Amino acid sequence: MIIVSACLAGVQCRYNGQGFPIPEVTELVKKGQALPLCPEILANLPTPRSSVEQCGERFLAHDGKDLTTELIAGARIALTIAKLVGSKIAILKSKSPTCGCGLIYDGTFSGNLIEGDGVFCAFLKDEKIKVYTEDQFQSLTLSGKKILPL
Ligand code: SF4
């Protein structure tokens, strides 16, 4: 079972109340090959909500609220589910403080990116679960390379 960020499957769970649907990801879910998860919803955060960025060791919302405890708790729940279903691969939304892989916003809310992983992505990598962003997944799919053991 592949774990996918729920917003990539069209679930309207992003901070702005919208999804970020990727047809290839939605197709995987429809076929029963992927499980959509949103760690921030699992953390009981509302939608819509303030955007969050990682600032050092903390996760701060744009309105100043410290959501470190919530983001870590949601990522832990999502990781538990990923392990329960035996997932080895995840396709996660890029740049998110939770799901981002390789690049995240720098904590200044100015659109600057730095190297780093979102907290859920980092937890998955610690468990040796291979993580792709939606862009990596789409370009591999378009080039005909199979990343999925299907
Ligand atoms: Fe999408 Fe992940 Fe953000 Fe949820 S936490 S809205 S799944 S990027």
Side-chain angles (χ1 to χ4, degrees), residues 39-111:
E40 293 182 17
I41 296 300
L42 290 169
N44 274 334
L45 293 176
T47 303
R49 54 191 174 275
S50 281
S51 61
V52 173
E53 294 193 8
Q54 185 168 353
C55 308
E57 298 294 305
R58 315 302 299 170
F59 292 90
L60 302 181
H62 196 241
D63 63 9
K65 205 168 172 188
D66 187 333
L67 294 175
T68 307
T69 303
E70 288 85 347
L71 258 67
I72 291 174
R76 282 209 179 108
I77 294 169
L79 175 66
T80 300
I81 296 169
K83 288 167 73 177
L84 273 173
V85 299
S87 182
K88 300 287 177 222
I89 295 174
I91 304 164
L92 300 187
K93 173 74 184 71
S94 59
K95 303 172 201 164
S96 152
T98 297
C99 291
C101 178
L103 284 175
I104 54 172
Y105 290 111
D106 69 356
T108 61
F109 295 91
S110 54

